[in-house]
Amino acid sequence: FLQKNQKIFEFIQLHIAGNFKGLEAVEEMFNAKTNNTQIVIHGQLSQEQAPKLLKNSHLMIFLRERNAITSAGFPTKFVQSFSNSIPVITNSSSDLDFYLQDGNNCIKVSSISEGGLLDAFLRVNALTNDDYKGLAYNAHQCAVSFFAPKVHSNKLFKFFN
């Protein structure tokens, strides 16, 4: 996560949550466990800890390789992020493309690579405060329009009656 600070993007702090292949390499690369204050590695977070970290963030980086496993379900972390008005830096995976509008409610990564991420970070760095506020607003509107329980409650009510 890119942690919120007083001025958006003046000081970027990257919080890495979860366990994933390559985590040890990330720790070693950034010397994160000892003296790097811009990279904070949390490891696996509890159900209570994750939303707290998310709510204190400007952006969530959500990258998944496209394969049968990631295409089978819908990522709840994406919904949590948008529901909290937090845009994502992401690639195409599962059926996210139905909801993602690059530059409107997210920043899309062209590829999960150093170049793809660098391009996304440069785009984020170029955002004005108004640009960011628009991304956050549109992310939340997407969540309200498609993922809020009341959106589906009428359909369920009609189905069961």
Side-chain angles (χ1 to χ4, degrees):
F1 301 106
L2 298 178
Q3 191 72 5
K4 283 184 182 173
N5 288 285
Q6 293 214 340
K7 280 186 114 181
I8 297 173
F9 309 121
E10 181 178 302
F11 174 76
I12 294 176
Q13 192 176 48
L14 179 65
H15 286 252
I16 300 173
N19 293 319
F20 57 91
K21 185 177 176 182
L23 180 60
E24 288 181 14
V26 171
E27 289 175 335
E28 187 175 311
M29 184 184 343
F30 292 109
N31 200 15
K33 287 193 171 184
T34 56
N35 61 4
N36 189 327
T37 59
Q38 286 185 275
I39 308 293
V40 181
I41 297 178
H42 298 274
Q44 192 69 35
L45 295 177
S46 71
Q47 292 284 37
E48 295 80 32
Q49 293 170 314
K52 289 177 185 174
L53 181 61
L54 183 64
K55 286 181 183 181
N56 289 319
S57 302
H58 275 107
L59 294 160
M60 180 176 74
I61 301 171
F62 184 84
L63 303 171
R64 283 189 173 174
E65 290 184 26
R66 199 174 258 264
N67 58 40
I69 293 171
T70 60
S71 295
F74 193 82
T76 57
K77 298 296 180 215
F78 166 78
V79 175
Q80 289 172 341
S81 184
F82 269 32
S83 296
N84 285 287
S85 302
I86 299 168
V88 295
I89 297 173
T90 190
N91 63 312
S92 296
S93 67
S94 72
D95 52 355
L96 286 180
D97 282 339
F98 292 117
Y99 309 100
L100 297 176
Q101 297 173 346
D102 188 31
N104 185 47
N105 62 10
C106 72
I107 301 293
K108 274 190 145 180
V109 175
S110 58
S111 65
I112 303 176
S113 66
E114 187 177 319
L117 286 172
L118 179 59
D119 178 59
F121 289 143
L122 290 173
R123 290 179 60 203
V124 167
N125 193 51
L127 293 173
T128 65
N129 284 341
D130 287 340
D131 292 338
Y132 172 76
K133 288 176 185 177
L135 278 175
Y137 176 81
N138 293 332
H140 187 260
Q141 288 305 113
C142 180
V144 168
S145 298
F146 295 106
F147 308 124
K150 67 181 180 180
V151 170
H152 302 286
S153 61
N154 288 338
K155 293 177 189 173
L156 287 171
F157 182 76
K158 288 178 184 177
F159 177 78
F160 287 113
N161 285 319

